[in-house]
Amino acid sequence: MKPFPFILLLAALSIGALNAQSLSGKSAAFAALFEEIQANDFHLYAHFGDKLPADYAYTGRKVGKKFTGLFTGEYRNMLEEGKDLYAVARIKNEGAEAYIIRLPSNKGPHTFYLFEWQGEALQPVQLLAYAFCADGNCYQQDCWVADLNGDSNADLLTRFRRTLPGSGQVLAENEQVYLQKDAGRFGIVPQGAVKVEQGRFEMEELAY
């Protein structure tokens, strides 16, 4: 009788269970960083400058290095390199959770992405809001979390505009609706498929 393979199997199962418990505990601690929001016309907008105003509403809570293992790719690298990611808000619907995170990107120092769980890792699934100037133009995208089709679920609306700095002349603009689908996912819908109430969603007037 050779018990060693069986003992090794038990040891491997025990380590796997401990790792699963550790991940579960860490993901719960991660979720606790976020303020939960509902479909209540939550308006998210970025800021052009590096330094945030004292009254800025979406500062968020810093995501520490201990959560590095929950991310993959460039976002894991950002945490490992000591760059700052901030937990802003959590959307919970249909038993799933999505997380709004503020981080630096090529679209400005305060870019907001929506992250969701894909397996055991957090992945960015939607660019929500940003503000930056480049090549003589300024770009701004705002986002709202709201019930856009009357089903009481949180949906997403993004509005974008490209302007000239100084004069503020609008050169281009558009809006896009993302309805919540099965398991809390968001899916883009064709332009005009959902009627957006006029005047309900107005972009933040930002100083360049």
Side-chain angles (χ1 to χ4, degrees):
M1 181 177 179
K2 297 182 178 180
F4 296 106
F6 180 67
I7 293 172
L8 289 173
L9 176 61
L10 286 178
L13 291 173
S14 298
I15 292 171
L18 288 172
N19 287 340
Q21 290 175 357
S22 176
L23 179 63
S24 176
K26 195 163 288 187
S27 62
F30 175 80
L33 294 174
F34 296 78
E35 176 186 355
E36 185 174 330
I37 58 172
Q38 306 296 331
N40 58 357
D41 291 11
F42 176 83
H43 179 194
L44 184 69
Y45 59 90
H47 181 69
F48 278 100
D50 290 332
K51 186 175 181 181
L52 290 173
D55 60 349
Y56 187 67
Y58 311 114
T59 302
R61 300 174 67 182
K62 190 171 181 178
V63 177
K65 278 191 174 183
K66 67 180 180 179
F67 297 111
T68 299
L70 301 181
F71 294 84
T72 61
E74 64 178 299
Y75 304 100
R76 173 178 288 198
N77 293 339
M78 289 174 72
L79 284 172
E80 289 175 342
E81 293 166 3
K83 293 181 181 177
D84 295 333
L85 277 66
Y86 291 90
V88 175
R90 172 165 48 102
I91 305 170
K92 187 173 184 178
N93 279 298
E94 300 295 332
E97 287 190 335
Y99 305 93
I100 298 174
I101 296 178
R102 177 171 65 86
L103 52 86
S105 81
N106 62 357
K107 291 187 177 293
H110 311 289
T111 305
F112 294 84
Y113 277 93
L114 187 72
F115 281 74
E116 292 180 351
W117 288 106
Q118 293 183 4
E120 296 181 347
L122 288 159
Q123 299 286 353
V125 295
Q126 182 65 46
L127 174 61
L128 301 179
Y130 56 84
F132 71 100
C133 295
D135 301 325
N137 291 276
C138 290
Y139 304 83
Q140 178 185 347
Q141 180 170 293
D142 290 9
C143 178
W144 288 261
V145 179
D147 178 12
L148 299 173
N149 62 348
D151 64 358
S152 299
N153 285 331
D155 304 306
L156 301 175
L157 170 71
T158 61
R159 295 190 66 191
F160 163 87
R161 66 186 173 201
R162 176 169 61 93
T163 59
L164 286 177
S167 69
Q169 178 186 353
V170 177
L171 303 176
E173 57 186 340
N174 63 49
E175 67 179 29
Q176 188 61 63
V177 169
Y178 302 83
L179 295 181
Q180 188 169 162
K181 305 296 185 180
D182 296 337
R185 306 294 184 186
F186 295 92
I188 192 170
V189 299
Q191 291 280 349
V194 175
K195 187 171 182 178
V196 177
E197 182 181 338
Q198 191 72 22
R200 180 180 171 187
F201 304 103
E202 297 295 334
M203 295 183 70
E204 190 75 11
E205 295 299 329
L206 301 175
Y208 300 124

